[in-house]
Amino acid sequence: MRKIKKLLVMALALVMVMTSVFAIPAETDAILVSKGQKVTMYVGQTMKLSLLGTSKKVKWTSSKKKVASVNKKGKIKAKKKGKAKITAKQGSAKVFYCTIVVKKKKNSITNPSFNVPVTTATPSPQDIAIANNALAANVAVQKQKLASGQILFTVTNNNSTAIPKVKISALLSDANGAPVDTYEFYTYDLEPGASFYDMYELSSNCALIDANLSTVSVSVTQDKSYRTYNTPMVTVNGQRNADGDIVLTNVNSSGYKSYIVGTVFFRDAAGNVVAVKEIYESIEVGATTFSTIYGPTYRYETPDHKSYDDVPYVTADWKFRSYYYQ
């Protein structure tokens, strides 16, 4: 973590030097640190841009060659007053660019000498592992055995940043601490302070499991997400029918085919969760669909009820997110 902070400070220092009101050296190396970065040059000056952290061929272009030209090696020459956007592209990969602001050279301005730190802010695999471990340490996992016999997992991101992908691995044990089963699940794009819910409900094992003696481990990876969330543009309303099922009305007001994922919480008169069910629906652009979430049932037999008898509940509520693929 200390190494990452050092690299970020060096990158920030580079940005501050390059955007200084003073002229840049007659020719020096610089780094395209981020999109939209501005660099000031004066007529007649040259500067070489380098896209570090890659060995692939880079294609350089200038939006206004008469203001600032750039050759195939990334060397820029300031020609006349104005602005030009210099673009670096690697095949179909991400495009980086910076804006060159060319000013008329004044007699009072000279080319100061300074060393631009040539470094990259790309962390090493070890640094990434450390960062991921720090993020994982701030992910809380609550385990709860419900009246239905299901094991409810509540995963909460207590970090100040979103997490692209979280993997939860659980070792489910009995009242003596002996292993009964293993279980894994994932969640994606977990925002700061947000929670995700999952449930284990394999009937043959539920009766044996002691949630308090079961253990979990959390791992975080920075996988790229192909999802774009449009939850405010999708509504999920529902009501209970005579059979005790929840009938949902799903409306997609966005411009994309969307996927709805969520959890229905069945509660007793005191508001305690007694059972849960999963929501998963796909819905076309502008469509309205209807789905039935069947009432909860017990996961195993006891002296009071048989397996798959209805679990009585008083109220139901749900949480969901909606997304489409980019």
Side-chain angles (χ1 to χ4, degrees):
M1 183 61 69
R2 188 174 299 169
K3 182 177 179 182
I4 294 175
K5 289 181 178 179
K6 182 178 179 182
L7 290 172
L8 292 175
V9 169
M10 293 177 73
L12 179 59
L14 173 62
V15 175
M16 293 174 67
V17 169
M18 291 176 62
T19 56
S20 169
V21 296
F22 296 104
I24 59 174
E27 181 171 338
T28 186
D29 287 335
I31 303 171
L32 289 179
V33 178
S34 62
K35 286 187 176 182
Q37 181 175 308
K38 290 185 179 181
V39 179
T40 299
M41 298 180 67
Y42 291 88
V43 175
Q45 288 185 316
T46 61
M47 178 179 69
K48 188 174 183 297
L49 292 177
S50 299
L51 189 60
L52 299 187
T54 179
S55 59
K56 296 181 180 179
K57 186 177 180 180
V58 179
K59 182 179 179 180
W60 299 92
T61 57
S62 171
S63 63
K64 292 184 180 180
K65 297 179 181 179
K66 292 183 180 181
V67 173
S69 62
V70 61
N71 65 17
K72 62 182 181 180
K73 294 183 178 181
K75 183 177 180 180
I76 300 172
K77 183 174 182 180
K79 294 184 175 181
K80 72 174 187 176
K81 183 179 178 180
K83 293 182 181 181
K85 184 169 78 172
I86 304 299
T87 302
K89 186 176 182 181
Q90 294 176 287
S92 59
K94 187 176 181 180
V95 176
F96 298 84
Y97 65 83
C98 68
T99 300
I100 303 298
V101 180
V102 180
K103 297 182 179 181
K104 290 183 178 180
K105 189 172 182 178
K106 298 180 181 180
N107 294 333
S108 60
I109 294 179
T110 59
N111 288 332
S113 296
F114 55 82
N115 294 321
V116 177
V118 180
T119 184
T120 174
T122 302
S124 68
Q126 181 180 3
D127 292 329
I128 293 173
I130 293 172
N132 288 347
N133 289 339
L135 289 172
N138 287 319
V139 174
V141 182
Q142 179 184 359
K143 311 177 300 296
Q144 181 183 3
K145 190 167 185 177
L146 305 179
S148 62
Q150 298 168 295
I151 309 300
L152 172 64
F153 294 89
T154 302
V155 182
T156 303
N157 179 12
N158 291 321
N159 293 281
S160 59
T161 183
I163 299 178
K165 181 179 179 181
V166 182
K167 176 183 176 182
I168 306 297
S169 300
L171 176 62
L172 303 172
S173 302
D174 63 17
N176 297 315
V180 174
D181 198 4
T182 59
Y183 183 57
E184 289 184 350
F185 62 92
Y186 300 85
T187 182
Y188 300 87
D189 309 310
L190 194 60
E191 294 295 323
S195 295
F196 172 80
Y197 307 91
D198 200 280
M199 68 290 296
Y200 176 92
E201 50 188 355
L202 186 59
S203 300
S204 59
N205 292 331
C206 284
L208 304 174
I209 294 171
D210 187 320
N212 293 325
L213 294 181
S214 299
T215 58
V216 297
S217 65
V218 180
S219 62
V220 171
T221 54
Q222 305 291 348
D223 291 19
K224 178 181 177 181
S225 175
Y226 295 93
R227 298 176 175 182
T228 296
Y229 288 86
N230 59 343
T231 305
M233 301 298 294
V234 174
T235 60
V236 177
N237 295 310
Q239 59 184 21
R240 180 174 179 167
N241 65 14
D243 295 325
D245 305 324
I246 304 298
V247 179
L248 299 178
T249 301
N250 316 299
V251 181
N252 181 9
S253 300
S254 75
Y256 303 90
K257 178 180 179 180
S258 300
Y259 299 85
I260 302 169
V261 291
T263 306
V264 177
F265 303 91
F266 298 90
R267 303 179 186 273
D268 61 17
N272 300 311
V273 178
V274 294
V276 289
K277 285 291 188 77
E278 181 184 59
I279 300 173
Y280 185 84
E281 297 289 336
S282 63
I283 182 168
E284 298 292 337
V285 178
T288 297
T289 63
F290 306 95
S291 52
T292 300
I293 305 297
Y294 294 103
T297 56
Y298 290 103
R299 297 288 91 190
Y300 54 86
E301 187 170 336
T302 73
D304 299 323
H305 59 75
K306 293 184 178 295
S307 178
Y308 297 108
D309 279 352
D310 292 339
V311 176
Y313 73 94
V314 176
T315 62
D317 55 88
W318 45 90
K319 295 181 180 179
F320 75 97
R321 293 197 293 171
S322 175
Y323 62 89
Y324 61 89
Y325 289 105
Q326 298 175 348

